[in-house]
Amino acid sequence: AARRSGSGLAAALQPFAELLVSFSLRGEAGQLTGVEQGPSAAAQLPASQLMSAYYANELLLRLLPKGDPHPRLYAAYAELVATLAAPCVDPAGHLRIFEKRLLDELGYGLNLRTETSTGRPVEAQRSYRYRVDSGPELVNGVAEGSLVFCGSSLLALATETLDDARSVADARRLLRAALDQILDGRELRTRQVALAMRALGRDAG
């Protein structure tokens, strides 16, 4: 109803804008009664970053319980949107940090600093097999498997300093496994759309 031409609320409802809203609850669905623009102006995201922002939105909608306040996660989301609005930004590392903070806020934070069985600190030059339910296990000998990581990548994610291609790629593999476990088989639509867009790009090429 708010988007009808006669509604005074429609102009304020812009994508990725910070809003102050009032609403009344009636059963499962609420009714929006007022909207004001928040202190931050609406972020103007370039087309190349929209899919990343929609992906973050879908994660929040799928994983957060309705009505629960998460001020730290709100701040992390606002930081992500502002970063995506900056020119010439590679979103990959920023999305991984947002995913890590989301897991932390939900109570599924990853153990990235200590070995599961011994409690010893993770060493940057060693290899570890990661168990999503518990954490890293030191690998002796040949390190193989989809969830085997260099200690430096685990520590980079722990400190949120994903400064090179390897640490970003490793973070993506690990966080994908952790999020898939929480999603329990529910596929994200934004992932499906991104794969379809890549396929179209390859066909066009």
Side-chain angles (χ1 to χ4, degrees), residues 48-175:
S48 60
Q49 306 288 35
L50 288 176
M51 188 57 65
S52 296
Y54 288 136
Y55 168 74
N57 284 2
E58 187 174 12
L59 281 178
L60 294 174
L61 290 171
R62 290 289 189 94
L63 297 179
L64 292 182
K66 290 183 178 180
D68 280 6
H70 291 274
R72 287 180 299 183
L73 188 56
Y74 181 88
Y77 174 76
E79 179 182 331
L80 174 66
V81 171
T83 299
L84 293 176
C88 303
V89 168
D90 183 349
H94 301 286
L95 283 173
R96 304 295 79 84
I97 292 171
F98 176 76
E99 291 169 337
K100 171 187 174 288
R101 293 175 179 178
L102 172 60
L103 290 171
D104 288 341
E105 188 72 11
L106 292 173
Y108 294 99
L110 300 175
N111 170 23
L112 300 165
R113 296 179 182 272
T114 58
E115 293 180 38
T116 301
S117 57
T118 66
R120 294 174 181 167
V122 166
E123 298 179 34
Q125 288 73 34
R126 307 297 293 272
S127 295
Y128 298 86
R129 178 169 287 103
Y130 200 94
R131 309 288 184 187
V132 174
D133 291 328
S134 54
E137 299 174 351
L138 182 65
V139 174
N140 292 309
V142 179
E144 296 180 345
S146 61
L147 291 182
V148 171
F149 303 95
C150 180
S152 60
S153 291
L154 298 179
L155 294 173
L157 183 57
T159 57
E160 301 183 356
T161 52
L162 303 177
D163 297 332
D164 60 88
R166 179 176 181 176
S167 65
V168 172
D170 285 349
R172 182 182 185 278
R173 284 193 291 126
L174 176 53
L175 290 162

Side-chain angles (χ1 to χ4, degrees), residues 2 9 13 20-24 30-35:
L9 306 179
L13 299 178
L20 304 174
V21 303
S22 56
F23 57 93
S24 60
Q31 181 177 359
L32 189 64
T33 58
V35 178

